[in-house]
Amino acid sequence: MALRKCACIDTLYTELPWLERFQAAKNDGFEAVEFWDWRIRDLKQTREAAEKAGIAISGFNGDADYSLVDPSHKQKYLEFLAQSMDAAKQVGASSVTIHSNALGDGGIVVDHYDNLSHTVKLCSMYDMLLASAALAEQQGINLNLEALNITTDHVGNFLATTQMGAEICRLIGSPRLKLLYDVYHMQINEGCICDTITNYSDVFGHIHVADAPGRHEPGTGEINYQKVLHHLEACGYTGRVGYELFPLTDTAAAVKAIMQAS
């Protein structure tokens, strides 16, 4: 398959020290790696480890403590996003991932914003994404907007459907703003994976893979990943597929399952 495999090295290869994970991922056949929080990493050493291994860094999270749905966060959100884009340039990454709500330890949604109406949240998200896309165009860094499941891992997150995220990306119309389609999250929230890919793959900038339930490697849950990945290709998707999953036993077994599924 033409789809390029990307390993999330905050969930895979955790048996190894940080700087050894890049070579391990390369050895196993991954074209790129991604991770979560750039603030806790030595960016110079991270870039050097990736370059030594001959593996690309796809990206990392770019929004941290601020939320798109909170109008009062606009200035701070954009300021931090600019820092994240600068960090991406420092490590040679092509993108950063963004979310509707700030996420804390373990991906917990920091604020559900029950005090804000749906209208305010949606309009705020659109307004900030418009400004974020303009910044991305200036800096030459891609933004991948990710919807999350709201029952299992990220209760209270505003952006919960592929349709909402895709339609906002289409309305804004920036080549630098795409949707991160996380198959695990969206199987939980909405199902209909292949129909969703058919309808919205034109705005996908990145894919995340984990089986459901459990968030482990393909073959441990209910998702037919051979079918899903073939359908992605058939619909013309040529980007990276990021394996953001927690091994059921260990990384070696998870990687074997990943390669078999693809």
Side-chain angles (χ1 to χ4, degrees):
M1 297 178 71
L3 299 177
R4 294 171 290 156
K5 299 180 185 66
C6 177
C8 176
I9 54 174
D10 271 320
T11 60
L12 293 167
Y13 302 103
T14 57
E15 305 94 337
L16 299 173
W18 176 251
L19 297 178
E20 294 180 19
R21 299 178 193 180
F22 300 87
Q23 188 65 59
K26 177 68 174 181
N27 292 346
D28 280 339
F30 290 99
E31 181 266 341
V33 297
E34 60 183 288
F35 52 93
W36 289 336
D37 191 346
W38 61 265
R39 297 171 299 176
I40 63 172
R41 304 300 180 188
D42 184 307
L43 300 182
K44 182 175 184 292
Q45 290 184 351
T46 294
R47 179 169 188 149
E48 289 173 350
E51 290 178 344
K52 183 179 179 181
I55 195 167
I57 297 177
S58 183
F60 42 70
N61 291 342
D63 40 18
D65 302 326
Y66 305 108
S67 299
L68 289 169
V69 296
D70 185 341
S72 71
H73 279 194
K74 184 174 181 178
Q75 182 176 348
K76 290 181 179 179
Y77 187 97
L78 293 172
E79 288 173 354
F80 185 79
L81 184 60
Q83 294 176 40
S84 295
M85 290 180 180
D86 182 64
K89 290 180 180 180
Q90 289 183 54
V91 299
S94 57
S95 69
V96 297
T97 300
I98 56 176
H99 308 89
S100 62
N101 295 62
L103 303 176
D105 292 342
I108 300 298
V109 174
V110 175
D111 192 334
H112 296 188
Y113 291 105
D114 294 330
N115 60 312
L116 298 181
S117 70
H118 185 278
T119 302
V120 169
K121 293 175 188 177
L122 184 59
C123 290
S124 175
M125 185 165 68
Y126 181 86
D127 176 57
M128 277 201 252
L129 285 174
L130 198 62
S132 297
L135 182 61
E137 290 173 16
Q138 293 171 9
Q139 297 299 319
I141 296 293
N142 297 324
L143 296 176
N144 291 317
L145 174 66
E146 184 177 24
L148 305 172
N149 82 72
I150 56 174
T151 62
T152 308
D153 301 292
H154 306 289
V155 175
N157 197 67
F158 179 67
L159 183 58
T161 68
T162 307
Q163 180 181 12
M164 179 187 284
E167 289 181 347
I168 287 177
C169 289
R170 286 173 176 169
L171 284 168
I172 291 174
S174 169
R176 291 291 181 181
L177 176 64
K178 299 291 184 179
L179 192 69
L180 194 166
Y181 180 64
D182 189 306
V183 184
Y184 162 77
H185 287 309
M186 294 302 98
Q187 169 65 2
I188 293 172
N189 278 0
E190 60 192 21
C192 300
I193 295 169
C194 288
D195 285 347
T196 299
I197 291 169
T198 298
N199 293 333
Y200 301 113
S201 61
D202 62 297
V203 293
F204 291 174
H206 195 66
I207 303 293
H208 273 170
V209 162
D211 217 334
R215 207 171 185 177
H216 303 306
E217 59 267 28
T220 58
E222 64 193 10
I223 302 173
N224 182 346
Y225 266 112
Q226 288 189 336
K227 172 66 176 176
V228 168
L229 295 173
H230 279 294
H231 194 63
L232 267 172
E233 262 198 312
C235 288
Y237 179 75
T238 58
R240 289 179 173 131
V241 175
Y243 290 85
E244 187 194 46
L245 55 86
F246 296 91
L248 184 61
T249 55
D250 57 32
T251 297
V255 169
K256 183 178 179 181
I258 288 167
M259 298 306 170
Q260 288 175 343
S262 59

